[in-house]
Amino acid sequence: MAKTMMGWSLHNSNTWSKPLAPPPPPAAGATCSAYSKSASPQVHASSSPVSQKSSGSGNNPLDTIRAHYHGSTVFRSPQESQTIIPLTANLMQLYYAYFHSAHPLCLPPQYLAKTPPQHLTIVLPVMRFIASFFATTAPTEAFRAEAEAALFSPTSPPPKNGFTVQALTLFAIGLHSDNDQERCAEVKDKAIEMALDLRMNLRDFSESSTDNTEGGKVLAECWRRTWWELYFLDGLLAGFHQKDHFKLWSVPCTVPLPCEEPDYGRGIIPEPHSLNQFDDRYFAAEQTVFSSFAYRIDAVRILGQVLAVGQDSNPENQMADAADASLVNWGLHLPDCKKELVGKDRRIDEMLFQAHMVINASTIYLHRPKSSLASSVVPDNTSCTPETKYSTATKPIALHTAKALQAANTISKLITLPCPLIKHTPFFTCVITLAAIVHLSACSWLLHGDEGFLAKERIRLGVGALKTLEEVWNVAGCVLMQVKGVAREVFSLQVPEGERFTGIITEEEVNRYIEEERTLEIIGGDADYHGLPSLDWNGEL
């Protein structure tokens, strides 16, 4: 019989009997391991962060966020007036201040605060682990071990329900950000396995597990977001490692689309649109504006089309033509109100930001193998932009070169938007790296004059952004070194037949950018604008 809370009912809470084995210690000399401060998550029980509560926090890990809710739950961006921002914050506040908007699958803070703690024993340790990245003094390794214990304890396996799927999805994102790609893939696959076992891919899961109360509608929306966030994660990881598909792309799905972010935050959940309604929008008599989250989902669906094409350099490939048409159609059919990433309130629409990020990365994945641009030669297991089958002997096609360059330029423009870089998804690091590699290739032998100068500045912009993100996400430090390795490869490649060397950047210049470029600062902002959080951890959970 289902358990009820606040008028909500949870699905099957059977325990999961096949926990993952604990991760092995990193191999000596493993690539980029020096960049992961959580490379060895095993710690003694005495160092558990849960036991480090302040005297005022009590035994309930939600006490601090409940206390904060009585005051204010509005977390402003660092570039806004600092006078109303507290100097310190607990981990839950840091999570909602800096991470939730990028991956908004957890309950809004006021609903999380009302949820009985026994339903959150699995997801809370993972939220604290992710929040610890934003707290320079927090023991991230200990928080990671705490999350591992909650999810994969052989003696106390977690319940098999939506909250555990949510925790696994979040943990996989955190592991990617901590540059543990192998473990990330394992956890992501386990999240998919559990989600499909629970039939979260069907509308009935979210609809039948709730009632028609306000709290029930919010929980139903939470389950929809959990499924689609897992779909987003599965697609992006497949793209970064250039797989020919991602598992959830071909899974039958009737899950309705999420609502707009402000509606979810306020708990005002409208009747959700279906995926069929979204797909029929091209021919509808009247234009329907869908949520920004819906356009983000569609971007990942198109990425699935691109990955299915593979790295075939045949210019007559019809699957490639269809994927290209989908990429172009995505932008052509955006409603007018969704064409601007900055709203009237001067805030960035993060879901649209990520949608554009995915569309432009997909454009590069599709066109770069057919272009005259050099490819990355970094191995799959250590890179956001793994080895391709591209050969410089392939006859280059100017159209594909132009489209890949245009997409890389657009990604560079995303870096300059008026929003702290650390508030974007950590997956942005891999997309910045992809654009930097394209610009490196173009500068080495293709561009000159004004075009070459602009591409050179975009490389500096990408390097500065990665150095900024390195302050929070360990994966950014790793890919910085990979960019240096790609630069060596690019400059060692032979110029394709029929081309002449006209590049305006040298390998020495690229290396100097990586070694010396200061953390990115935009004129008119301060160090906190793109750098470290302005909220310091107060030692509380």
Side-chain angles (χ1 to χ4, degrees), residues 197-513:
D197 285 348
L198 290 170
R199 299 172 69 83
M200 289 185 76
N201 57 310
L202 302 180
R203 183 187 186 105
D204 288 347
F205 180 88
S206 59
E207 300 302 315
S208 64
S209 65
T210 62
D211 54 33
N212 203 36
T213 64
E214 177 186 320
K217 291 180 178 179
V218 171
L219 186 62
E221 175 70 9
C222 180
W223 294 151
R224 291 191 285 269
R225 286 166 174 263
T226 299
W227 167 260
W228 287 119
E229 200 66 31
L230 181 57
Y231 184 94
F232 180 82
L233 172 67
D234 192 28
L236 257 65
L237 292 180
F240 294 153
H241 298 292
Q242 287 293 272
K243 307 298 182 184
D244 58 6
H245 72 285
F246 61 94
K247 185 172 183 178
L248 295 183
W249 188 60
S250 57
V251 169
C253 175
T254 59
V255 181
L257 299 170
C259 64
E260 294 285 15
E261 301 314 299
D263 293 338
Y264 184 49
R266 292 191 298 262
I268 304 173
I269 310 299
E271 185 66 25
H273 292 291
S274 71
L275 204 55
N276 287 337
Q277 288 174 308
F278 185 85
D279 288 338
D280 291 341
R281 71 192 186 281
Y282 299 119
F283 311 108
E286 295 182 3
Q287 185 182 64
T288 300
V289 178
F290 294 86
S291 69
S292 297
F293 205 133
Y295 295 103
R296 175 185 186 239
I297 292 167
D298 196 40
V300 181
R301 295 168 71 203
I302 295 171
L303 170 60
Q305 282 185 263
V306 171
L307 295 179
V309 173
Q311 298 183 19
D312 183 2
S313 59
N314 178 11
E316 305 301 326
N317 188 325
Q318 292 185 351
M319 288 180 63
D321 289 343
D324 192 30
S326 294
L327 288 166
V328 175
N329 276 329
W330 185 88
L332 290 177
H333 291 276
L334 276 179
D336 290 342
C337 63
K338 295 292 182 182
K339 290 182 178 178
E340 292 289 340
L341 293 182
V342 182
K344 293 181 180 179
D345 59 356
R346 302 180 305 283
R347 291 178 179 271
I348 300 297
D349 186 327
E350 179 65 22
M351 295 296 96
L352 275 182
F353 173 93
Q354 293 182 29
H356 282 277
M357 178 189 82
V358 173
I359 287 293
N360 284 283
S362 301
T363 300
I364 294 175
Y365 291 145
L366 180 64
H367 292 287
R368 189 173 59 149
K370 307 175 184 66
S371 74
S372 59
L373 301 170
S375 67
S376 168
V377 292
V378 183
D380 287 0
N381 62 342
T382 60
S383 176
C384 294
T385 54
E387 182 178 7
T388 70
K389 299 177 182 178
Y390 172 81
S391 169
T392 54
T394 302
K395 182 180 178 181
I397 300 176
L399 170 66
H400 299 292
T401 302
K403 287 198 171 190
L405 269 174
Q406 183 183 46
N409 293 345
T410 302
I411 290 168
S412 294
K413 290 179 181 178
L414 292 177
I415 299 173
T416 68
L417 290 173
C419 176
L421 285 172
I422 60 170
K423 293 191 73 174
H424 293 312
T425 172
F427 295 125
F428 193 34
T429 57
C430 289
V431 178
I432 292 172
T433 304
L434 182 64
I437 290 171
V438 170
H439 285 134
L440 268 171
S441 307
C443 277
S444 64
W445 66 48
L446 194 63
L447 301 180
H448 60 279
D450 290 345
E451 283 187 320
F453 174 79
L454 285 173
K456 184 175 179 179
E457 289 302 297
R458 286 166 179 144
I459 293 172
R460 294 183 64 183
L461 184 67
V463 167
L466 289 174
K467 288 182 76 68
T468 295
L469 292 167
E470 181 186 15
E471 300 292 333
V472 176
W473 308 118
N474 294 318
V475 67
C478 179
V479 295
L480 257 179
M481 301 308 296
Q482 293 168 12
V483 168
K484 190 173 183 177
V486 170
R488 285 195 298 269
E489 289 293 336
V490 165
F491 288 104
S492 68
L493 291 175
Q494 294 183 352
V495 178
E497 184 178 353
E499 297 280 350
R500 62 188 182 88
F501 184 87
T502 59
I504 65 165
I505 192 170
T506 65
E507 180 181 354
E508 289 73 20
E509 284 184 287
V510 174
N511 291 339
R512 189 175 72 249
Y513 291 162

